[in-house]
C-alpha cells in the first residue's frame, strides 16, 4: 500500500462505523413555495429568475421570467407588485425591489434584442384570441409556446388594450409597450388590427379550434348627476383614451383649468394626474369614503399628492352647475359605509371627470349557448373556460380584480386549459409546495442591505410633462437588489448544510446540482436544517 | 475583523459557501474536495461542536500547509470519540499524548523537524497541538506555558466546551460562573459554578507575548479559517481558543450548537478577537446586541437561574461579565478605539 506522508501502519478507518444507525430524525431537502411566487397573480417564479439575476446572468433570468410572463418591461412599470407585499425580507429590513429588477430585465431584453424561443412542434391547431390587451397577449404567447397558432383580432388601430388606452404614458412609455408587442409578433403571434369581432361563434367557424375572449372592460359606469351643462361631465376612460395619439395640443381632451375627478380607484388618480399635466391649475379628486378605504394603491395616491393634486375625502357630488359643483359631506356609519350628512359645499369646476369603474362590452357574446354572465362578468371555471365548450375568457371581462398582472395570469391559465382541451384532456395544475414562511428561515446569514430606491422624476417635470415618473435601476444596483433576495424555501447552494455537518454526512454534488445526505453517517442532529438560511431542509421522524 | 469581509453577495461571508464568490475567495469548508481531516464515523454526540470545530480548524491548517501537518492530541472527548481502537477518524499524521503533556509532545515533534531540516529535510512540515479546555487550561497548563515561553513552532488549538464532558461533565477552570456541572451542582445558596474563579487562557497566552493569539467560535467559520491561516504565517508559538458548545454538557438541543455559539458571541459572553505579540489587533464586533438571558435560557446548565423565582441577581452578575468584555475589547464598535 502506498501510504501517505508519515503514515507507517494500516489504520482502521472510522468509516467502518456507520453512525447513521443512531438517527431518530432524518433531514430532507425540500423546495418550499416562496411568498412572492405565491402572491404573484401572473404566476411568475420570481425566486427562480432572481436566482439567475443574482449571478449576473440576465438573459437566463429574463428567460426564466418570460416562461410565465411575456411582458416584463411593461410589468416592471405597471404592476402593483403584490410579491413585494409578501416578501419575507420585509421582516429583516425592507422587501426586495422585485418590480424594479423585473423592469431592468425587461429593458435589458429590449436593449439587447433578446427574442422568445420555443422548441414545441407545431400542432396545426388555430386559436382565435379576441382583444390584444394583456390577457389576450399572454394567452397568445403561451399558446404559441405550446405550438398552436394564435390569431389576435383587435378592434382598435393599435394593440395593447387598456395598457395603451387606459394607462398614461408617464407610467408606461409607448415605445416599451410597442417593443414587447413587436417581440410577440416576431415570435409568431398573428395580430390583426382594426378587426372587430361582432359574433364569436361566426368568427370561430373561420377555421379556429378554440377561442379566447379578452375584450376588457371599457364602458364607463355613469352616475346620475343633475347638471346645468351636461357637456362638462365626461368619463375618465374616454379622457385617457383620447390622450393616445394626441400629439398636438388641439387634439388633447379639453378639461379646463379646474378639473374635478369623481371616484377613488387607480383610474381616478391616473386621470387627475393627466389633467394636471394637461395644464389644469387645480385637479381635485372627490371620493365618498376615506383614504384607508380608497381602492387606489397607496403609492399612487402619494405620488398624486406630491404632484399637487388635492383629494376631498368623504364627499359626493350632488349637482354640477355652470362653473362649480355642489358636494355633500359624508360620514362613515358603524359598518363603514358613507352616509349623507346634509352639509353642502360648492367647489369651482370647469369639468367633472367620472372615474366610477368600467363594464365589459359583452355584445359579441349575445348568442353563445351555455355562456353565462353575472353582474357584467363572464362566468368561467378554474381553467378560464366559459359555459360554452371551447370558448375561454379572461382579463377585465372575467374578474373584478382588474390589473395587467391579473390579466396576464388569466391568459396563461387559459392557454394551459386550451392546450389540454385541444388534446381532449383537462389541465391539472401540479400540487403546490408548502409555503416558505419567515419562521422557517434563518435570517442571520443574509448581509444587511437596505432597499435600493429608484430615482424619481423631479416634481416640476412631473406636473408639466408626460415623461416617465419612476426611473429604472442601472446594472450595478439591479444586481445589488437581486442579491437581496433570500431565496425563501429554495436551496441557493450556500454550502451551509455541507459545512456545518459535524459528521461530514452531506455530499456536495457540484455547482447547480445541490446536495445529498449520506445516511450511513448522518446522526440526525438537525444542525443543517437549523442553519439552512432559506429553510430548504426539514427534519422528519425515522420510521421504526 | 480578522479578514476582509466581501462586498455584498447575498449572504456575504456569513454562510459557509457562496456561489457568487470567485473560487479563491471561498472557504476551505465549502470546497467539494476538502480535506475532511476528521472523517465520518467518529463517535461524537449528535451536534457535537468540538467535532465540527476540529474539522474547521485542522482543515484550514491543512490547506495553509498544503497537507504537511502533524497533529498531537490531548486526551479528552476529541481523542476518545475519534480514535477508539482499531479505528481512527484522522486523515493526517496524528499522535495521541497524555491528558497533560500535549504541548510538550508537540514541542518534541517541532524539535525533531528542526533536526531533520538540519540534516537536509527540505519539506516545510508544521505542527499543531490540540485539546479540550480540561487538557489545556487545567492539566496541561504547565506544558502549554512552557511551550509559549520557549516560543516553540507549534500552533496550539484549544476547543473550549467549558468542562470535562468526556468523563461526565465535571467543572474545569474554563467552566463559566453559575453553570451547573456534576461537581458544581445547582444546590445551596450559590448554585452552580462559583464566581471569581477560573481563568481565561487567551489572556494568559497574550501575557507570554507570543506571536499570535486568537479566539473564535464554531458559529463564524470564515473568521475561524482566517485566524488559522493567519496563525500559520507566523513561526513560533501560537494559540487559538475556539468556543465549541457541547449539547450534552450544556443541555441544549443537538441542532442548536451553532446558534448557541453565536449567542455567546452576540451577548458578549465570549469575546472574539486576535492579538499579535501581546497586543489586540482586531475584534469581531457584535452584530445584533442581545441581553445574556438569550444565551443562558436555552441551556439547561443555567436552568436554575430561570426557575419559579428567577435568580435576577445572578443573571445581573453574568450580564456584568458580558458588559465588561464588551467594554474591554470594544465589542460594540469592533474595537475602534
Amino acid at each position: 500500500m502506498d501510504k501517505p506522508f508519515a503514515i507507517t501502519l494500516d489504520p482502521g478507518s472510522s468509516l467502518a462505523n456507520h453512525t447513521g444507525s443512531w438517527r431518530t430524525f432524518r433531514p430532507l431537502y425540500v423546495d418550499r413555495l416562496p411568498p412572492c411566487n405565491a402572491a404573484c397573480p401572473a404566476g411568475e417564479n420570481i425566486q427562480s429568475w432572481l436566482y439567475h439575476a443574482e449571478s449576473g446572468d440576465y438573459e437566463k433570468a429574463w428567460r426564466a421570467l418570460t416562461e410565465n410572463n411575456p411582458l416584463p418591461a411593461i410589468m416592471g412599470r405597471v404592476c402593483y407588485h403584490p410579491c413585494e407585499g409578501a416578501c419575507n425580507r420585509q421582516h429583516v429590513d425592507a422587501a426586495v425591489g422585485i418590480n424594479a429588477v423585473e423592469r431592468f430585465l425587461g429593458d435589458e431584453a429590449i436593449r439587447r434584442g433578446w427574442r422568445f424561443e420555443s422548441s414545441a412542434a407545431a400542432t396545426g391547431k388555430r386559436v382565435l384570441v379576441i382583444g390584444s390587451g394583456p390577457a389576450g397577449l399572454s394567452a397568445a404567447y403561451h399558446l404559441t409556446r405550446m405550438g398552436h397558432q394564435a390569431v389576435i383580432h383587435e378592434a382598435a388601430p393599435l394593440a395593447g388594450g387598456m395598457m395603451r388606452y387606459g394607462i398614461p404614458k408617464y407610467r408606461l412609455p409607448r415605445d416599451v409597450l410597442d417593443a414587447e408587442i413587436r417581440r410577440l409578433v416576431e415570435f409568431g403571434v398573428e395580430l390583426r388590427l382594426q378587426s372587430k369581432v361582432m359574433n364569436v361563434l361566426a368568427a370561430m367557424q373561420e377555421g379556429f379550434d378554440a377561442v379566447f375572449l379578452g375584450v376588457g372592460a371599457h364602458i364607463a359606469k355613469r352616475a346620475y348627476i343633475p347638471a346645468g351643462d351636461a357637456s362638462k361631465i365626461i368619463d375618465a376612460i374616454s379622457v385617457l383614451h383620447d390622450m393616445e395619439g394626441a400629439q398636438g395640443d388641439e387634439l388633447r381632451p379639453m378639461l379646463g383649468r379646474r378639473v374635478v375627478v369623481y371616484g377613488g380607484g387607480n383610474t381616478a388618480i391616473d386621470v387627475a394626474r393627466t389633467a394636471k399635466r394637461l395644464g389644469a391649475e387645480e385637479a381635485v379628486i372627490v371620493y365618498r369614503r376615506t383614504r384607508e378605504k380608497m381602492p387606489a394603491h397607496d403609492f399612487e395616491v402619494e405620488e398624486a399628492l406630491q404632484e399637487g393634486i388635492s383629494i376631498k375625502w368623504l364627499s359626493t357630488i350632488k349637482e354640477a352647475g355652470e362653473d362649480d359643483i355642489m358636494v355633500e359631506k359624508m360620514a362613515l356609519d358603524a359598518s363603514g359605509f358613507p352616509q349623507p350628512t346634509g352639509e353642502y359645499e360648492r367647489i369651482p369646476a370647469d369639468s367633472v371627470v367620472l372615474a366610477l369603474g368600467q363594464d365589459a362590452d359583452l355584445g359579441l357574446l349575445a348568442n353563445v349557448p351555455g355562456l353565462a354572465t353575472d353582474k357584467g362578468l363572464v362566468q368561467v371555471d378554474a381553467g378560464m373556460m366559459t359555459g360554452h365548450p371551447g370558448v375561454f375568457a379572461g382579463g377585465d371581462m372575467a374578474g373584478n380584480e382588474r390589473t395587467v398582472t391579473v390579466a396576464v395570469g388569466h391568459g396563461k391559465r387559459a392557454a394551459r386549459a386550451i392546450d389540454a382541451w385541444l388534446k381532449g384532456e383537462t389541465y391539472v395544475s401540479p400540487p403546490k409546495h408548502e409555503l416558505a414562511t419567515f419562521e422557517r428561515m434563518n435570517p442571520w446569514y443574509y448581509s444587511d442591505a437596505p432597499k435600493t430606491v429608484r430615482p424619481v422624476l423631479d416634481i416640476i417635470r412631473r406636473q408639466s410633462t408626460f415623461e416617465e415618473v419612476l426611473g429604472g435601476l442601472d446594472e450595478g444596483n439591479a444586481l445589488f437588489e437581486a442579491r437581496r433576495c433570500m431565496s425563501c424555501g429554495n436551496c441557493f447552494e450556500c454550502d451551509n448544510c455541507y459545512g456545518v455537518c459535524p459528521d461530514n454526512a452531506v455530499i456536495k454534488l457540484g455547482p447547480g446540482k445541490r446536495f445529498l445526505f449520506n445516511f450511513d453517517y448522518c446522526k440526525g442532529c438537525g444542525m443543517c436544517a437549523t442553519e439552512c438560511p432559506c429553510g430548504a431542509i426539514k427534519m422528519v421522524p425515522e420510521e421504526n | 475583523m480578522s479578514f476582509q469581509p466581501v462586498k455584498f453577495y447575498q449572504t456575504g461571508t456569513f454562510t459557509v459557501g457562496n456561489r457568487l464568490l470567485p473560487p479563491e475567495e471561498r472557504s476551505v469548508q465549502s470546497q467539494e474536495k476538502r480535506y475532511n481531516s476528521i472523517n465520518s464515523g467518529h463517535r461524537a454526540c449528535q451536534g457535537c461542536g468540538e467535532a465540527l470545530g476540529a474539522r474547521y480548524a485542522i482543515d484550514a491548517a491543512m490547506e495553509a500547509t498544503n497537507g504537511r501537518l502533524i497533529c498531537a492530541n490531548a486526551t479528552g472527548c476529541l481523542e476518545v470519540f475519534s480514535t477508539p481502537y482499531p479505528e481512527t477518524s484522522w486523515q493526517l499524521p496524528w499522535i495521541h499524548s497524555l491528558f497533560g503533556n500535549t504541548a510538550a509532545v508537540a514541542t518534541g515533534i517541532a524539535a525533531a523537524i528542526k533536526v531533520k531540516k538540519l540534516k537536509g529535510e527540505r519539506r516545510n512540515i508544521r505542527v499543531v497541538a490540540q485539546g479540550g479546555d480540561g487538557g489545556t487550561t487545567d492539566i496541561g497548563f504547565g506544558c502549554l506555558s512552557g511551550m509559549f515561553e520557549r516560543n516553540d513552532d507549534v500552533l496550539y488549538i484549544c476547543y473550549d466546551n467549558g468542562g470535562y464532558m468526556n468523563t461526565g461533565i465535571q467543572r474545569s477552570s474554563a467552566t463559566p460562573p453559575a453553570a451547573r456541572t456534576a461537581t458544581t451542582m445547582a444546590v445551596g445558596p450559590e448554585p452552580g459554578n462559583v464566581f471569581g474563579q477560573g481563568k481565561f487562557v487567551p489572556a494568559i497566552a497574550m501575557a507570554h507575548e507570543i506571536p499570535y493569539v486568537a479566539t473564535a467560535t464554531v458559529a463564524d467559520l470564515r473568521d475561524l479559517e482566517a485566524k488559522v491561516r493567519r496563525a500559520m504565517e507566523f513561526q513560533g508559538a501560537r494559540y487559538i481558543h475556539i468556543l465549541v458548545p457541547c449539547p450534552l454538557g450544556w443541555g441544549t438541543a443537538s441542532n442548536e450548537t451553532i446558534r448557541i455559539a453565536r449567542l455567546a458571541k452576540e451577548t458578549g459572553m465570549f469575546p472574539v478577537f486576535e492579538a499579535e505579540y501581546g497586543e489586540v489587533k482586531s475584534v469581531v464586533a457584535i452584530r445584533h446586541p442581545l441581553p445574556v438571558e438569550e444565551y443562558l435560557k436555552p441551556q439547561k446548565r443555567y436552568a436554575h437561574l430561570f426557575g419559579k423565582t428567577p435568580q435576577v441577581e445572578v443573571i445581573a452578575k453574568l450580564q456584568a461579565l458580558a458588559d465588561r468584555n464588551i467594554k474591554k475589547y470594544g465589542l460594540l464598535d469592533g474595537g475602534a478605539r
Side-chain angles (χ1 to χ4, degrees):
Chain A
M1 187 181 141
D2 188 19
K3 297 187 179 68
F5 167 73
I7 299 276
T8 52
L9 295 170
D10 287 338
S13 168
S14 65
L15 291 174
N17 186 24
H18 286 190
T19 51
S21 62
W22 303 9
R23 198 170 56 239
T24 54
F25 280 79
R26 70 161 58 201
L28 275 184
Y29 287 110
V30 292
D31 281 295
R32 289 193 167 117
L33 179 65
C36 49
N37 296 8
C40 180
E44 283 187 19
N45 192 346
I46 295 162
Q47 177 273 330
S48 129
W49 59 255
L50 280 172
Y51 178 86
H52 295 299
E54 283 151 26
S55 55
D57 192 342
Y58 303 123
E59 181 165 353
K60 218 166 177 182
W62 179 80
R63 297 212 175 273
L65 198 174
T66 53
E67 271 175 35
N68 290 299
N69 181 352
L71 310 170
I74 296 171
M75 203 64 76
R77 291 174 164 83
V78 303
C79 182
Y80 295 111
H81 41 75
C83 50
E84 294 185 23
C87 178
N88 274 336
R89 180 124 203 164
Q90 67 189 296
H91 308 299
V92 177
D93 38 41
V96 176
I98 298 167
N99 190 244
V101 181
E102 181 169 31
R103 170 169 164 179
F104 169 78
L105 292 175
D107 288 352
E108 196 72 359
I110 294 173
R111 202 166 67 81
R112 298 186 183 235
W114 295 333
R115 301 167 64 131
F116 295 131
E117 286 160 13
S118 170
S119 51
T123 60
K125 303 278 187 191
R126 286 164 59 80
V127 182
L128 172 64
V129 176
I130 304 176
S132 67
L137 291 174
S138 164
Y141 165 74
H142 286 285
L143 289 166
T144 308
R145 275 173 68 97
M146 294 162 182
H148 309 301
Q149 176 63 52
V151 181
I152 301 179
H153 283 253
E154 168 59 55
L158 290 168
M162 274 297 174
M163 295 187 293
R164 185 180 301 276
Y165 296 106
I167 297 175
K169 285 176 189 164
Y170 61 85
R171 279 179 58 205
L172 177 58
R174 297 307 185 241
D175 54 339
V176 172
L177 177 63
D178 291 339
E180 295 214 313
I181 293 174
R182 198 179 314 121
R183 188 193 291 128
L184 285 167
V185 173
E186 285 165 2
F187 186 44
V189 173
E190 203 179 316
L191 183 61
R192 296 189 190 160
L193 298 171
Q194 286 178 301
S195 161
K196 185 165 181 172
V197 174
M198 308 301 283
N199 182 321
V200 170
L201 294 183
M204 227 182 137
Q205 295 305 312
E206 295 163 26
F208 291 105
D209 300 289
V211 60
F212 175 77
L213 303 166
V215 299
H218 38 81
I219 303 173
K221 283 183 185 167
R222 305 288 295 197
Y224 176 70
I225 297 172
D229 176 11
S231 70
K232 64 184 291 179
I233 299 183
I234 43 184
D235 68 74
I237 285 304
S238 56
V239 171
L240 294 173
H241 184 274
D242 290 349
M243 285 304 300
E244 194 57 32
Q247 304 297 341
D249 282 350
E250 67 278 11
L251 288 169
R252 287 178 166 181
M254 302 291 282
L255 297 174
R257 288 191 301 115
R258 295 162 304 181
V259 181
V260 170
V261 178
Y262 195 23
N266 290 315
T267 308
I269 305 284
D270 282 347
V271 81
R273 294 174 73 183
T274 297
K276 195 88 187 169
R277 284 169 171 76
L278 286 175
E281 285 166 17
E282 280 174 43
V284 183
I285 293 172
V286 174
Y287 178 55
R288 64 196 173 98
R289 295 194 286 179
T290 58
R291 178 161 180 177
E292 293 72 46
K293 301 264 182 189
M294 203 176 196
H297 289 92
D298 210 47
F299 74 92
E300 289 214 51
V301 178
E302 201 49 55
E303 283 181 4
L305 291 171
Q306 285 168 9
E307 289 170 16
I309 284 150
S310 50
I311 305 179
K312 282 198 93 62
W313 310 104
L314 289 167
S315 305
T316 55
I317 300 180
K318 293 312 282 184
E319 59 171 63
E322 200 58 27
D323 51 14
D324 65 354
I325 57 164
M326 190 162 77
V327 164
E328 179 173 7
K329 286 195 180 143
M330 309 296 275
L332 292 185
D333 62 17
S335 52
F337 284 99
Q339 300 295 347
T341 59
E343 273 182 64
Y344 296 94
E345 185 190 349
R346 300 196 81 88
I347 51 176
D350 295 324
S351 61
V352 177
V353 183
L354 303 181
L356 302 168
Q358 292 102 251
D359 288 322
D361 180 1
L362 303 179
L364 77 169
L365 305 174
N367 55 355
V368 180
L371 189 144
T373 60
D374 182 35
K375 291 184 187 126
L377 296 177
V378 174
Q379 300 299 294
V380 291
D381 65 12
M384 310 307 289
M385 188 158 81
T386 66
H388 187 90
V391 176
F392 297 75
D396 288 0
M397 69 187 295
N400 270 325
E401 208 187 322
R402 290 173 165 172
T403 66
V404 176
T405 324
V406 168
V408 167
H410 282 180
K412 181 178 83 169
R413 214 186 308 160
R416 284 174 173 170
I418 292 170
D419 179 58
W421 189 81
L422 290 173
K423 292 178 190 154
E425 299 163 1
T426 310
Y427 178 77
V428 185
S429 53
K432 277 196 166 24
H433 291 131
E434 219 179 346
L435 195 66
T437 54
F438 187 65
E439 296 68 45
R440 291 190 165 116
M441 304 185 54
N442 190 337
W444 168 265
Y445 289 105
Y446 299 99
S447 301
D448 307 292
K451 183 171 174 169
T452 319
V453 178
R454 286 191 262 193
V456 177
L457 196 65
D458 283 345
I459 287 288
I460 198 71
R461 277 165 65 200
R462 277 160 59 180
Q463 286 170 338
S464 55
T465 74
F466 282 88
E467 275 178 67
E468 192 166 18
V469 170
L470 209 53
L473 302 176
D474 62 28
E475 195 200 318
N477 47 29
L479 188 65
F480 178 90
E481 200 53 37
R483 286 173 173 181
R484 293 183 64 243
C485 172
M486 306 200 295
S487 192
C488 307
N490 289 268
C491 174
F492 59 108
E493 297 185 18
C494 71
D495 295 330
N496 251 22
C497 51
Y498 179 63
V500 303
C501 178
D503 296 288
N504 318 348
V506 177
I507 302 161
K508 182 172 174 170
L509 298 174
K513 298 183 193 146
R514 297 188 171 184
F515 307 86
L516 267 186
F517 291 111
N518 184 347
F519 288 114
D520 282 350
Y521 301 106
C522 168
K523 292 170 184 162
C525 68
M527 204 116 89
C528 51
T530 302
E531 300 306 324
C532 174
C534 67
I537 301 175
K538 86 172 175 189
M539 300 300 293
V540 294
E542 282 288 347
E543 285 166 21
N544 304 320
Chain B
M1 190 136 269
S2 56
F3 62 104
Q4 185 64 44
V6 298
K7 58 179 183 282
F8 187 70
Y9 284 110
Q10 191 170 35
T11 54
T13 34
F14 290 112
T15 47
V16 167
N18 190 332
R19 67 187 177 99
L20 304 172
L21 288 179
E24 66 276 10
E25 284 181 34
R26 297 186 191 179
S27 68
V28 176
Q29 286 302 310
S30 71
Q31 291 165 10
E32 225 172 302
K33 289 191 169 51
R34 66 185 181 207
Y35 285 92
N36 278 345
S37 304
I38 172 165
N39 215 340
S40 301
H42 63 71
R43 297 168 191 215
C45 304
Q46 293 169 317
C48 176
E50 189 171 34
L52 185 62
R55 195 188 73 224
Y56 281 0
I58 302 300
D59 275 6
M62 288 287 274
E63 176 89 2
T65 57
N66 237 335
R68 304 234 173 273
L69 191 68
I70 299 174
C71 181
N73 201 135
T75 300
C77 268
L78 183 60
E79 169 264 331
V80 169
F81 72 63
S82 64
T83 52
Y85 182 81
E87 294 164 10
T88 178
S89 301
W90 295 100
Q91 308 271 312
L92 78 165
W94 181 93
I95 182 167
H96 172 219
S97 67
L98 301 178
F99 217 143
N101 68 349
T102 320
V105 169
T107 294
I109 299 168
I113 291 169
K114 205 168 162 184
V115 172
K116 285 196 78 157
K117 275 191 172 168
L118 290 174
K119 293 192 168 180
E121 172 63 63
R122 296 234 175 112
R123 292 171 299 183
N124 189 21
I125 300 155
R126 307 296 298 273
V127 184
V128 63
Q130 58 180 354
D133 52 290
T136 305
T137 73
D138 293 351
I139 308 173
F141 188 68
C143 292
L144 181 68
S145 180
M147 185 201 100
F148 288 162
E149 180 266 330
R150 293 185 302 270
N151 200 24
D152 294 320
D153 186 27
V154 174
L155 167 62
Y156 192 103
I157 301 172
C158 170
Y159 305 104
D160 174 8
N161 58 16
Y164 293 84
M165 304 315 187
N166 167 39
T167 48
I169 313 160
Q170 291 85 9
R171 176 197 178 274
S172 81
S173 61
T175 303
R180 181 209 65 197
T181 67
T183 46
T184 56
M185 303 291 269
V187 291
E190 286 178 13
N193 192 25
V194 287
F195 279 83
Q197 292 183 13
K199 52 191 159 183
F200 188 54
V201 171
I204 302 174
M206 280 168 67
H208 288 75
E209 301 199 353
I210 56 176
Y212 189 75
V213 174
T215 64
T217 76
V218 284
D220 194 348
L221 167 73
R222 299 297 297 249
D223 176 64
L224 195 163
E225 285 189 352
K227 282 169 176 167
V228 172
R229 199 163 42 240
R230 179 79 182 124
M232 296 317 287
E233 288 168 8
F234 291 94
Q235 300 287 323
R238 291 142 288 148
Y239 179 73
I240 298 182
H241 189 100
I242 303 172
L243 185 73
V244 290
C246 169
L248 186 71
W250 295 15
T252 52
S254 62
N255 62 326
E256 298 236 287
T257 302
I258 289 180
R259 191 175 84 90
I260 295 295
R262 183 180 303 135
L263 287 169
K265 179 232 157 190
E266 291 293 283
T267 55
M269 288 297 279
F270 185 81
V272 179
F273 62 91
E274 63 180 347
E276 290 173 19
Y277 301 103
E279 298 292 334
V280 175
K281 286 288 177 195
S282 81
V283 167
V284 180
I286 291 171
R287 189 172 169 214
H288 305 304
L290 290 168
V292 290
E293 283 99 322
E294 298 285 326
Y295 169 66
L296 305 173
K297 246 186 188 163
Q299 304 182 42
K300 289 207 188 76
R301 63 175 172 162
Y302 295 113
H304 57 276
L305 302 181
F306 299 95
K308 273 184 189 154
T309 46
Q311 303 286 306
V312 283
E313 279 173 31
V314 180
I315 297 169
K317 274 162 90 178
L318 288 164
Q319 182 66 59
L321 289 179
D323 291 344
R324 189 159 164 260
N325 281 337
I326 290 169
K327 191 159 171 253
K328 184 172 177 185
Y329 294 98
L331 298 179
L332 285 180
D333 52 8
R337 280 167 289 189

